């Protein structure tokens, strides 16, 4: 992906230096790039419904019949609460710093071909998203199949999948086994297809980013820096304030000693941008350095790395609200609290389905963007800084799981390393 960005930059700088941006040839080139970008985004869109349905059904079905009931309950409560806090920190940051409130012409350039809103968005924004009570109405679509076919109705798919997963766990043993295997298989298949689509991201990124860079040029730098700053500040607040307080007052361990002990894990997550790839080293450090027993570490860490993505949830929230702010500037649409609530809710849920591999959050962002009715092509701008921010959010994801593991181990009465007062 980095190479795609470099290629894109070389092309843009060459065309700009040679003052060829307005020529018919360059315009045809831009159209070609837009086509490639659209092609790639279609691949992502194709995965939205199956990915969210299969991961929520599996998560719910396995979660509600967990054998280690007490540990499972503690782990799920930690994941839910920490993700909720992360998303609200993201919400607070993006509302305070307003990275998307920029000059109207620049915002239009950044949105590029996505600057025109689809018909169904106008309906959503004027009718159904305007009241909080309507948010709840959208949780239950009258027809699940038309909801699956309609980009703006992801919320209904989520409710249906959660109910479906829950009732799988209530089936008689033989039927439940069949269902669990079936949905696990489907989830595996969809994740493999996701990997293939993501493997094409360098070409897709080139197609998405080049037209934006060509049209907006250096003006892009300032809003992008504010956007990146908002995300990083959100991560810093989450780790340095929330996780530190949690470790100190709930886990009763010294936070910075834990962060230092986990440095190899941070580096691994940072350099691979993959929580899954960081699992072996995280397990090793949490058992050998932090002193958590294998019984707890081997349950909570793999589970956390699969379903608990706080950094990703925070990031999703900031991205979608940033895009909403851009539309607010260009189209004059006012997004109310119910829209923001919807983003919070979706960020919480979709982060569960994000795979621990590079760039997989973008599929979740695609889901949220379509569920608020915006064109998914609008996320083009985000690709410019995607890899850079992926390193940070993966590090936050993995660090959060190690913190959860230590806190759960302490609550089970384990004597872990670096307790307070020693
Ligand atoms: N790369 C992240 C991880 O592995 C997932 C994402 O946010 O894209 O945790």
């Amino acid at each position: 992906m980095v190479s795609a960005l470099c290629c894109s930059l070389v092309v843009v700088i060459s065309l700009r230096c040679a003052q060829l941006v307005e020529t018919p040839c360059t315009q045809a080139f831009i159209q070609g790039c837009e086509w490639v970008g659209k092609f790639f985004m279609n691949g992502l869109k194709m995965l939205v419904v199956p990915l969210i349905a299969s991961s929520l059904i599996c998560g719910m079905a396995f979660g509600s019949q967990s054998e280690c009931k007490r540990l499972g309950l503690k782990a799920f409560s930690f994941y839910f609460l920490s993700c909720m806090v992360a998303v609200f920190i993201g919400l607070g940051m993006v509302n305070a710093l307003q990275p998307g409130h920029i000059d109207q012409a620049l915002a239009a350039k950044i949105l590029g071909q996505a600057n025109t809103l689809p018909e169904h968005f106008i309906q959503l924004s004027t009718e159904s998203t305007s009241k909080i009570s309507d948010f709840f109405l959208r949780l239950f679509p009258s027809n699940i199949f038309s909801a699956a076919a309609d980009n703006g109705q992801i919320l209904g798919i989520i409710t249906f999948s959660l109910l479906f997963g829950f009732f799988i766990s209530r089936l008689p043993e033989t039927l439940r086994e069949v269902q669990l295997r079936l949905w696990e298989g489907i989830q595996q298949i969809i994740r493999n297809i996701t990997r293939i689509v993501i493997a094409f991201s360098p070409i897709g990124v080139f197609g998405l980013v080049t037209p934006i860079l060509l049209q907006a040029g250096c003006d892009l730098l300032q809003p992008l820096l504010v956007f990146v700053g908002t995300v990083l500040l959100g991560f810093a607040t989450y780790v340095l304030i929330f996780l530190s307080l949690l470790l100190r007052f709930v886990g009763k361990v010294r936070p910075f000693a834990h962060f230092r002990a986990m440095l190899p894990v941070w580096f691994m997550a940072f350099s691979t941008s993959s929580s899954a790839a960081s699992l072996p080293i995280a397990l090793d450090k949490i058992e050998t350095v932090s002193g958590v027993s294998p019984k707890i570490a081997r349950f909570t860490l793999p589970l956390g790395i699969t379903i608990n993505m706080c950094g990703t949830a925070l990031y999703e929230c900031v991205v979608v609200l940033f895009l909403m702010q851009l539309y607010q500037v260009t189209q004059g649409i006012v997004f109310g609290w119910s829209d923001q609530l919807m983003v919070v809710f979706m960020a919480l849920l979709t982060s569960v389905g994000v795979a621990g591999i590079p760039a997989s959050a973008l599929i979740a962002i695609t889901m949220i963007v379509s569920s608020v009715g915006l064109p998914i092509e609008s996320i083009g701008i985000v690709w410019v800084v995607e890899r850079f921010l992926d390193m940070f959010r993966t590090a936050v994801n993995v660090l959060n799981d190690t913190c959860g593991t230590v806190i759960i181990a302490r609550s089970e009465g384990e004597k872990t390393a670096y307790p307070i007062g020693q």
Side-chain angles (χ1 to χ4, degrees), residues 34 38 103-119 121-122 212 215 323-333 373-380:
E34 284 175 350
K38 213 175 169 110
D103 174 62
Q104 188 179 4
L106 180 58
K109 277 187 198 162
I110 289 177
L111 291 172
Q113 54 169 345
N115 196 20
T116 36
L117 288 169
E119 190 64 21
F121 174 78
I122 313 290
I212 296 176
Q215 276 152 18
L323 296 177
M324 283 173 148
Q325 288 173 354
L326 290 179
Y327 279 104
Q328 196 162 338
V329 170
T330 59
Q331 311 277 333
I333 300 153
L374 296 175
I376 64 161
E377 288 74 16
S378 60
I379 71 172

Side-chain angles (χ1 to χ4, degrees), residues 272-276 305 309 311-312 315-316 354-362 386 390-391 393-395 397-398:
T272 58
S273 289
S274 164
S275 314
I305 275 172
M309 304 265 175
T312 300
Y315 176 71
E316 287 173 20
V354 169
I357 54 171
S360 58
L362 284 154
E386 161 55 26
D390 196 2
M391 295 161 127
R393 62 177 192 261
T394 308
N397 287 342
V398 183

